[in-house]
Amino acid sequence: MDDELDERTREALRGYRVPPEPPLDTMWEAIEERHFGAPVVAISSRTPASSGFDRVGRRRLGRPTWGIVLAAIAASLLIGVSVGRMSRGVAPQIATLGEGNYGWAENAEPYRQATTEYLGQTAALLTALPAAARDGQPDARFVTQASDLLSTTRLLLDSPAAATDLRLKSLLEDLELVLAQLAHLPAEHGNTEIDLITEALERRDVVPRLRSAVVSISSDDD
Amino acid sequence: MPRSATLREESVPLDERTLIARILDGDRVAGRQLYEAHAPRVHRLVYRLCGDADLAQDFTQDTFVRAFDQLGTFRGESAFGTWLHRIAVTVTLNGMRKVRRLRERETSLDDEPGLRSVTHRADPDLRSGIAAAIDALPEGTRLTLIMHDIEGYTHAEIAESLGIAEGTSKSRLFDARGRLRQALAAFVKE
């Protein structure tokens, strides 16, 4: 190849099938559902022209967004609170005050399940925070997740579970503080805000306590 | 040609082994992180191979679903990115064959334009001429040219991704360039 052709060829090669901007969020929704599964399935309405099937004929199911998952948790908490109060007339004995495992009464199953799920998701979010910060994030999606989890935290704080278990209450209060900071993170945030949140997490030993609570509550099946 | 990988893709936010372990435990956030680190480059390659936005989206999704499903078998002997790109190439080529078969069944398509028809075609547009010439290359040769000269992969990466020897990658590239040179000779003379 002579030089002229090389240069022209190179230029033309660069123009061969120039990829569009990848639809990262849309693709992730499908991947997340197909690999991780969807606790709650919603009918997708992403594209007006969508027939509900992809190019090779597979059914496209709705996406399992954090919002939907959290809405389900919040709903189960509300149902749990209502059922508990109606059936007992007073707040049920949800957990013991002991130093060992979180003890859950028999009628507290909805709380236990919802709390385990919520704590697991919060742990995942907070664990990803330092990496997200290093990568120039947290982005809007991260903030939205924090905001959704904050709503659930407040529901749990108002539930009998927190009223009777001081250890859980203390953890939830710390989480409320951290999630509130994350949820109100300005779009143009600097490193200082993230550093303060990370510092608070470390100082209060939040993530290890969170993990320990997940293990303890989820193993409390009896 | 400079490597086309972006800084974001090259700086993995967390140790990949940690992320992989978390994904195996069902951690969606870790899954998203690993996906974000690799998806743009995978999508770019897949699009260059299939040339269709919808198919590129499907094939990229299939690549990650398959990778996540088979993550337990990833031994870490090669870089995760190389392993992933190997899956992407396989998924894309198989997917394109399936699509081609479906389309052939639907309509009796004209014969695909071969290299000979490109060289004799009086196409004044170099870009469309080169596109037609690339499309007419044998699959392995085309793949190597796209990966090396367009997407900036090294011969070592191509060899690992395609399961071929580095020497084969080099000779395929030599062949591809020769065919392109031949196809584009008409444009130089003009």
Side-chain angles (χ1 to χ4, degrees):
Chain A
M1 251 182 233
D2 60 48
D3 287 340
E4 189 200 358
L5 181 60
D6 259 349
E7 188 46 45
R8 292 179 68 197
T9 305
R10 268 199 292 272
E11 196 187 322
L13 277 173
R14 280 193 288 271
Y16 176 74
R17 292 180 177 176
V18 178
E21 197 61 33
L24 291 178
D25 286 338
T26 308
M27 290 193 297
W28 173 250
E29 285 158 11
I31 294 163
E32 187 180 26
E33 168 161 341
R34 284 170 61 192
H35 178 72
F36 294 99
V40 175
V41 176
I43 300 303
S44 173
S45 56
R46 283 196 302 271
T47 53
S50 168
S51 65
F53 291 86
D54 66 13
R55 259 75 58 190
V56 287
R58 286 184 304 257
R59 183 79 176 99
R60 269 196 176 136
L61 296 173
R63 54 177 168 160
T65 61
W66 279 78
I68 291 168
V69 173
L70 288 168
I73 294 174
S76 67
L77 276 169
L78 282 173
I79 292 166
V81 170
S82 309
V83 169
R85 285 182 179 161
M86 283 168 66
S87 63
R88 298 288 298 266
V90 291
Q93 185 63 33
I94 298 297
T96 65
L97 297 173
E99 290 297 313
N101 284 353
Y102 293 79
W104 294 79
E106 278 177 16
N107 63 345
E109 186 55 23
Y111 292 108
R112 197 188 64 78
Q113 280 184 359
T115 307
T116 306
E117 211 165 326
Y118 152 80
L119 291 174
Q121 287 171 356
T122 310
L125 185 82
L126 295 182
T127 306
L129 178 62
R134 271 203 306 277
D135 205 27
Q137 294 172 343
D139 58 13
R141 187 181 162 89
F142 208 101
V143 171
T144 306
Q145 288 171 9
S147 177
D148 290 339
L149 287 167
L150 178 63
S151 306
T152 311
T153 310
R154 288 175 174 157
L155 271 169
L156 277 170
L157 271 168
D158 286 339
S159 76
T164 53
D165 190 315
L166 296 179
R167 205 149 51 108
L168 180 62
K169 188 181 178 192
S170 157
L171 176 61
L172 289 171
E173 282 170 348
D174 284 342
L175 288 175
E176 185 187 27
L177 191 66
V178 170
L179 291 170
Q181 285 176 292
L182 275 175
H184 296 108
L185 209 57
E188 299 285 328
H189 63 267
N191 286 338
T192 318
E193 285 95 332
I194 302 294
D195 287 346
L196 283 171
I197 297 172
T198 314
E199 233 179 82
L201 277 174
E202 284 168 2
R203 200 172 48 246
R204 302 284 299 160
D205 218 15
V206 174
V207 176
R209 283 163 61 211
L210 198 48
R211 286 188 182 136
S212 146
V214 173
V215 172
S216 179
I217 293 172
S218 60
S219 65
D220 240 354
D221 277 334
D222 44 288
Chain B
M1 195 166 289
R3 287 185 64 82
S4 52
T6 63
L7 180 65
R8 181 183 174 79
E9 288 163 82
E10 286 172 350
S11 57
V12 180
L14 265 184
D15 175 50
E16 278 186 346
R17 281 179 187 279
T18 312
L19 284 179
I20 288 166
R22 284 196 201 151
I23 295 167
L24 288 170
D25 283 341
D27 185 337
R28 292 165 193 249
V29 176
R32 172 83 194 213
Q33 279 188 279
L34 197 63
Y35 162 81
E36 285 197 349
H38 293 277
R41 199 175 184 211
V42 167
H43 178 268
R44 207 162 47 229
L45 174 63
V46 168
Y47 184 86
R48 300 264 199 204
L49 294 179
C50 71
D52 179 284
D54 287 339
L55 287 177
Q57 187 177 325
D58 278 350
F59 294 156
T60 305
Q61 287 168 193
D62 288 349
T63 298
F64 277 93
V65 169
R66 190 181 289 189
F68 285 162
D69 287 349
Q70 297 177 355
L71 211 48
T73 65
F74 174 62
R75 303 270 172 234
E77 287 156 1
S78 61
F80 174 76
T82 306
W83 184 74
L84 185 67
H85 280 80
R86 187 170 194 160
I87 295 175
V89 169
T90 307
V91 164
T92 305
L93 295 183
N94 287 341
M96 284 171 67
R97 284 186 200 115
K98 199 182 290 180
V99 169
R100 211 174 292 137
R101 275 201 303 274
L102 283 171
R103 286 177 184 166
E104 278 167 2
R105 226 175 279 163
E106 284 167 8
T107 52
S108 57
L109 296 171
D110 294 332
D111 288 341
E112 288 185 12
L115 190 58
R116 281 188 303 278
S117 63
V118 172
T119 52
H120 295 302
R121 192 166 55 190
D123 189 343
D125 186 348
L126 173 63
R127 194 164 279 194
S128 65
I130 209 164
I134 295 171
D135 290 346
L137 291 173
E139 189 174 86
T141 310
R142 188 171 75 91
L143 206 50
T144 307
L145 178 82
I146 290 173
M147 291 182 82
H148 189 278
D149 277 1
I150 301 178
E151 283 298 317
Y153 290 71
T154 63
H155 282 295
E157 286 173 320
I158 295 169
E160 278 236 45
S161 296
L162 304 185
I164 56 175
E166 268 191 63
T168 308
S169 174
K170 286 176 187 169
S171 67
R172 279 183 182 178
L173 184 65
F174 182 80
D175 181 37
R177 285 174 172 171
R179 285 169 185 253
L180 278 188
R181 196 185 309 127
Q182 189 189 342
L184 298 172
F187 293 101
V188 174
K189 285 172 191 165
E190 282 167 5

